[in-house]
Amino acid sequence: MDILLIGSGGREHALAAKIATSPRVGRLYAAPGNPGIATVAECVDLDPADHAAVLSFVREKSVGLVVVGPEVPLVEGIADALEPHGIAVFGPSRAAAQLEGSKGFTKDLCARMGIPTARFRRFDAAEPARAYIESEGAPIVVKADGLAAGKGVTVAATLSEALDAVDACFAMPGASVVIEECMTGPEASFFCLCDGVRAVPFGTAEDHKRAFDGDMGPNTGGMGAYSPSLLMTPELVERTMREIVNPTLKGMADAGMPFKGVLYAGLMLTSEGPKLIEYNVRFGDPEAQVLMMRLESDIVPLLEAAARGDLSTADPAWSGAAAVTVVMASKGYPGAFEKGTPISALPQPGEGEAIFHAGTSQSAGQLIATGGRVLTVTATGNGVSEAADRAYRLVAKVEWPNGFYRTDIAHRARG
Ligand code: AMP
Ligand code: GLY
């Protein structure tokens, strides 16, 4: 079977590398891909937003499965554009992608299905939002409603910080906000493959969202991750399935928007049990990098079964090893950064190691950094500490003067 993978980040490089090892795959195409992905797939110059172009490519090449990496094409309805033509798509419909695209939609579903999450109210105007904040007091959380790449959330320690966040949101025309109770506890990322009816647990991870060591600095898309999460015990996984994921699948199916693809639950492990912070409708980046290093099963039958609506026999197998990934980003990220800086040398990864490209391109034979997050340097090990040591030894061999990275990835699990 030939496969088209949509995306160009580190997550997609990790998915491509795993898909490419499957005996089920004939040709693997990636749109648009990147220089790392090009080592395992054929990169095609295809704009994922141009659904007609994607459809005609898929037909011309007789692609049997389209795997969508990022959320934007899903929220823009790429599955809806392809599926009526009989093309299997791993990823939800536009309607089901609202689980990530609209915080208000997800909160309404949680309320309907009794899913534990932060108490919340949704507002379309600043004045009632301000009044609600004043009546609730701080700490309190203010979220812009819509896709905001992790940047639309303010965990406000004080009333004035919360009120400023409301004003900033409503400076944009047509804005709405969700105001939430502030939950406390450690966070974990939990993944499930879904076929519209069933959800199958598909690994756990912990992410480091802040830019700098010690969890300081601004929020980013993620500066590093490890898997498995030591916090997600089998009991917690079972409870999360029962109280959060299964009711979500049921609520979505009942509403006529069955969810298929990967459901990524951001969880807060509170003293009262796991609570949903948010859903994403795709793999995490960089969490996919650590999951793919640990997945022993062939991923292709799993993706295909989810896309075709029957995961009843799926039983993914994981290595007992831990995996750690360290993100190397352009200096200045997540703010302004210089583009096109040269990466003069990349080490050759050994067994159980990988350097996934996230934001690179090739210019006149030179590898250059084009993104904020540029490389995700990944290693497995016998436990998180060993995996982290191996990943950092590899990072030290990357010659890229404009790069920076956190030196404390996986510190929470290293003891
Ligand atoms: P989100 O984009 O919704 O994942 O939020 C980004 C980060 O903000 C989360 O990873 C949490 O650290 C924090 N956060 C979001 N919602 C809450 C909440 N209700 N209480 C406490 N922290 C939160
Ligand atoms: N690493 C967080 C995310 O992918 O949303």
Side-chain angles (χ1 to χ4, degrees):
M1 181 177 60
D2 293 351
I3 294 181
L4 171 65
L5 172 68
I6 305 281
S8 63
R11 164 183 51 208
E12 288 76 28
H13 186 183
L15 288 169
K18 181 69 189 169
I19 290 170
T21 63
S22 170
R24 304 272 302 263
V25 183
R27 300 186 94 120
L28 173 59
Y29 302 100
N34 69 33
I37 295 173
T39 63
V40 290
E42 189 178 321
C43 293
V44 288
D45 189 16
L46 194 58
D47 175 5
D50 185 346
H51 295 165
V54 175
L55 178 60
S56 74
F57 177 85
V58 163
R59 283 179 153 167
E60 183 194 318
K61 302 288 186 188
S62 303
V63 165
L65 175 67
V66 177
V67 179
V68 186
E71 64 277 19
V72 170
L74 295 166
V75 170
E76 289 178 349
I78 194 165
D80 310 70
L82 300 178
E83 283 173 339
H85 302 277
I87 297 156
V89 179
F90 179 81
S93 66
R94 184 207 311 253
Q98 288 181 90
L99 280 179
E100 174 161 2
S102 166
K103 291 183 193 298
F105 174 89
T106 301
K107 286 299 197 178
D108 291 344
L109 177 88
C110 288
R112 213 162 59 237
M113 302 305 293
I115 293 167
T117 185
R119 211 156 30 81
F120 77 103
R121 289 272 297 273
R122 188 175 171 182
F123 297 93
D124 295 323
E127 268 325 303
R130 293 174 62 95
Y132 178 70
I133 287 173
E134 276 164 3
S135 71
E136 289 288 304
I140 195 156
V141 178
V142 180
K143 299 184 174 185
D145 200 5
L147 278 186
K151 288 178 192 140
V153 178
T154 305
V155 181
T158 63
L159 270 186
S160 69
E161 215 183 315
L163 296 173
D164 287 351
V166 166
D167 291 343
C169 284
F170 284 104
M172 285 171 277
S176 64
V177 297
V178 169
I179 297 179
E180 288 186 10
E181 160 200 6
C182 188
M183 303 184 287
T184 51
E187 291 180 37
S189 304
F190 178 56
F191 301 87
C192 289
L193 294 179
C194 304
D195 66 5
V197 184
R198 304 171 198 83
V200 175
F202 200 61
T204 62
E206 290 180 45
D207 182 23
H208 296 65
K209 289 206 164 74
R210 302 291 188 131
F212 308 129
D213 283 6
D215 292 324
M216 305 295 278
N219 261 329
T220 70
M223 292 299 292
Y226 55 98
S227 175
S229 160
L230 304 181
L231 302 168
M232 287 299 289
T233 58
E235 295 71 34
L236 260 183
V237 167
E238 191 275 324
R239 186 167 174 189
T240 303
M241 291 302 289
R242 184 162 33 88
E243 295 182 359
I244 298 179
V245 174
N246 290 338
T248 298
L249 269 273
K250 178 163 190 329
M252 294 297 286
D254 288 352
M257 0 179 160
F259 186 90
K260 67 182 172 51
V262 62
L263 186 63
Y264 159 2
L267 301 175
M268 185 83 79
L269 307 177
T270 74
S271 55
E272 296 159 14
K275 293 191 181 182
L276 183 70
I277 302 170
E278 62 157 6
Y279 273 132
N280 296 306
V281 300
R282 35 89 191 161
F283 283 106
D285 188 348
E287 292 97 320
Q289 287 85 315
V290 281
L291 289 183
M292 290 306 113
M293 296 294 277
R294 295 186 48 245
L295 180 63
E296 284 185 339
S297 305
D298 184 348
I299 194 171
V300 170
L302 294 167
L303 298 175
E304 207 185 351
R308 295 201 185 280
D310 186 7
L311 281 167
S312 56
T313 58
D315 188 16
W318 300 92
S319 130
V324 170
T325 189
V326 178
V327 171
M328 300 186 77
S330 294
K331 285 177 186 161
Y333 173 79
F337 56 86
E338 195 183 336
K339 285 194 178 166
T341 60
I343 300 169
S344 42
L346 282 186
Q348 186 60 43
E351 182 66 27
E353 298 176 348
I355 299 181
F356 297 118
H357 291 229
T360 66
S361 71
Q362 202 86 39
S363 172
Q366 168 75 54
L367 188 67
I368 56 170
T370 50
R373 294 190 295 172
V374 171
L375 299 167
T376 52
V377 181
T378 313
T380 56
N382 192 4
V384 171
S385 281
E386 190 182 295
D389 289 343
R390 290 182 74 201
Y392 276 112
R393 278 201 293 276
L394 204 53
V395 165
K397 294 185 196 145
V398 174
E399 289 175 30
W400 175 36
N402 197 49
F404 83 98
Y405 55 91
R406 280 184 59 161
T407 65
D408 63 349
I409 297 304
H411 65 94
R412 289 192 294 263
R414 300 191 72 168

